């Protein structure tokens, strides 16, 4: 039989079948006459050592987790003292937590006897492959950094971006978490929201409330204006400076459209809008103001009537 390796000149390159049979018989003899006592001692010794390494790894893991939580707690205190922006605080906390968790896992794996260098090499190659397949994830991370640097919105702001509206609950590594008025949680990728048009409703302290009120043709515009301004003046949340205004916006097909504009503190916007919307509907008719509805007049010529008869 041909061996898979070359031998020296003194030893023939080919081993006769008789020698191979003798070696095989010797191996069988050793296996049959194996000392079970030595085998059990070796097995128990290895088992005890493995259990010791597992115990040490678990101790390192739990101590590492405790240290990780302490570090994050210290970071939270430092961020609070420096009055760091909530959005940046959340992003940095998540980043530090992820990095320290990876380091802890590598230490635990090395304690178990795994070659960390080889593991890192395999992980790097896998990360490169996954990164090429999931290039959008890296873009989302970069988008998160852009959001934190440019600060188009912060945690607590009500925004409309990428077709979604809601209050910013958290800015994560790869996505922004929005809480809608319906109490639904939406995760928007940072790359999409960073390159989209963002409408931030919470940036300014004051916000203008707009109503479009249609009144009938023939109604007195001055009376309607006076009644609307009286209703708004009774709402203490409506600001006096700038003052509310009412003007004719459009002469529509079925109504004269009045534009009503008033300024309020940002947080009072919806309450003022809905409450006064209802008051306009209930109280304007008391001043002789009518709300028209679309209608169509059909005029039939006299000749057509006669022909039908």
């Amino acid at each position: 039989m041909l061996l898979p390796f070359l031998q020296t000149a003194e030893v023939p390159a080919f081993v006769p079948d008789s020698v191979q049979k003798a070696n095989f018989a010797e191996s069988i003899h050793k296996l049959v006459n194996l000392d079970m006592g030595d085998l059990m001692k070796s097995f128990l010794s290895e088992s005890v050592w493995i259990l010791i390494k597992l115990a040490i790894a678990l101790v390192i893991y739990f101590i590492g987790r405790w240290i990780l939580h302490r570090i994050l707690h210290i970071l939270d205190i430092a961020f609070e003292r420096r009055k760091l922006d909530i959005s940046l605080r959340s992003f940095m906390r998540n980043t530090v937590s992820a990095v320290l968790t990876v380091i802890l896992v590598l230490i635990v794996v090395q304690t178990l006897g795994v070659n960390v260098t080889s593991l890192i090499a395999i992980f790097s190659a896998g990360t490169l492959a996954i990164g090429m397949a999931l290039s959008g994830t890296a873009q989302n991370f970069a988008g998160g950094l852009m959001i934190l640097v440019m600060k188009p919105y912060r945690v607590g702001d009500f925004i409309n971006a990428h077709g979604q509206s809601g209050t910013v609950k958290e800015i994560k590594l790869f996505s922004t978490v929005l809480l809608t008025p319906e109490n639904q949680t939406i995760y928007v990728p940072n790359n999409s929201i960073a390159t989209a048009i963002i409408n931030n409703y919470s940036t300014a302290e004051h916000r203008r409330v707009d109503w479009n009120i249609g009144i009938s043709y023939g109604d007195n515009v001055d009376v309607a204006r006076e009644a609307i301004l009286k209703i708004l003046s009774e709402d203490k949340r409506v600001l006096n400076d700038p003052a509310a205004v009412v003007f004719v916006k459009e002469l529509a097909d079925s109504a004269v459209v009045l534009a009503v504009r008033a300024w309020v503190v940002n947080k009072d916007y919806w309450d003022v809008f809905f409450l006064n919307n209802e008051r306009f509907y209930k109280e304007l008719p008391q001043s002789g103001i009518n709300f028209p509805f679309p209608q169509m007049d059909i005029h039939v010529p006299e000749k057509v009537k006669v022909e039908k008869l």
Side-chain angles (χ1 to χ4, degrees):
M1 176 180 288
L2 180 63
L3 294 177
F5 53 86
L6 296 177
Q7 298 182 352
T8 61
E10 292 79 6
V11 181
F14 297 94
V15 179
D17 290 342
S18 59
V19 176
Q20 295 184 37
K21 291 179 180 179
N23 292 335
F24 180 72
E26 183 180 358
S27 299
I28 294 297
H29 178 74
K30 290 181 178 180
L31 182 62
V32 171
N33 296 283
L34 183 64
D35 190 347
M36 294 302 297
D38 292 340
L39 180 62
M40 290 302 298
K41 288 180 181 179
S42 177
F43 176 76
L44 290 175
S45 176
E46 292 296 330
S47 299
V48 170
W49 177 239
I50 291 174
L51 291 176
I52 291 175
K53 289 197 294 185
L54 283 175
I56 294 174
L58 288 174
V59 170
I60 292 175
Y61 174 77
F62 287 112
I63 293 177
R65 292 294 299 177
W66 180 83
I67 294 174
L68 174 61
H69 288 304
R70 292 298 301 171
I71 292 175
L72 294 178
H73 180 68
I74 293 172
L75 282 178
D76 290 337
I77 295 176
F79 292 156
E80 185 67 27
R81 287 180 178 176
R82 292 181 176 273
K83 304 298 181 181
L84 198 65
D85 182 69
I86 298 178
S87 305
L88 183 59
R89 184 186 311 178
S90 174
F91 188 88
M92 292 182 62
R93 192 181 192 280
N94 291 334
T95 303
V96 171
S97 177
V99 172
L100 293 181
T101 300
V102 172
I103 294 175
L104 176 61
V105 170
L106 290 177
I107 294 174
V108 171
V109 170
Q110 187 177 22
T111 304
L112 292 174
V114 179
N115 190 344
V116 177
T117 304
S118 302
L119 187 63
I120 292 176
I122 297 173
F123 178 77
S124 301
T127 302
L128 178 61
I130 294 173
M132 295 177 64
L134 302 175
S135 59
T137 303
Q139 294 176 0
N140 288 329
F141 182 80
L145 291 178
M146 289 180 58
I147 291 171
L148 292 173
V149 172
M150 304 302 294
K151 296 181 180 179
Y153 57 84
R154 302 181 181 184
V155 173
D157 289 353
F158 188 88
I159 66 171
N160 180 288
H162 201 60
Q164 303 295 336
S165 297
T167 302
V168 179
K169 186 178 179 181
E170 186 178 3
I171 302 176
K172 294 191 172 184
L173 296 178
F174 307 110
S175 63
T176 295
V177 184
L178 298 180
L179 187 64
T180 67
E182 297 83 10
N183 205 31
Q184 297 176 345
T185 303
I186 300 177
Y187 296 84
V188 184
N190 283 335
N191 181 50
S192 301
I193 201 169
T195 56
I197 297 175
I198 302 173
N199 191 352
N200 192 334
Y201 296 96
S202 302
T203 304
E205 181 181 358
H206 298 151
R207 187 175 173 188
R208 193 182 74 188
V209 188
D210 291 356
W211 295 271
N212 291 322
I213 303 175
I215 65 175
S216 298
Y217 279 96
D219 287 350
N220 193 316
V221 173
D222 294 329
V223 172
R225 179 183 292 110
E226 184 179 351
I228 292 172
L229 292 177
K230 181 176 181 297
I231 293 173
L232 294 177
S233 65
E234 295 173 355
D235 192 333
K236 301 303 181 183
R237 293 167 297 186
V238 176
L239 301 178
N240 295 322
D241 185 20
V245 295
V246 180
F247 56 88
V248 177
K249 178 181 179 181
E250 181 183 0
L251 301 177
D253 294 336
S254 303
V256 176
V257 181
L258 301 181
V260 182
R261 295 177 179 176
W263 290 87
V264 298
V265 177
N266 206 314
K267 64 183 181 64
D268 295 331
Y269 177 88
W270 290 110
D271 291 337
V272 171
F273 176 81
F274 289 123
L275 176 62
N276 288 286
N277 218 22
E278 183 176 345
R279 290 193 63 187
F280 293 151
Y281 176 74
K282 291 180 177 179
E283 299 180 23
L284 287 182
Q286 299 175 9
S287 300
I289 305 301
N290 301 303
F291 299 110
F293 52 87
Q295 55 185 333
M296 179 182 296
D297 295 334
I298 300 177
H299 301 276
V300 180
E302 191 68 25
K303 182 179 180 181
V304 175
K305 294 182 180 179
V306 174
E307 288 178 356
K308 287 187 175 181
L309 293 175

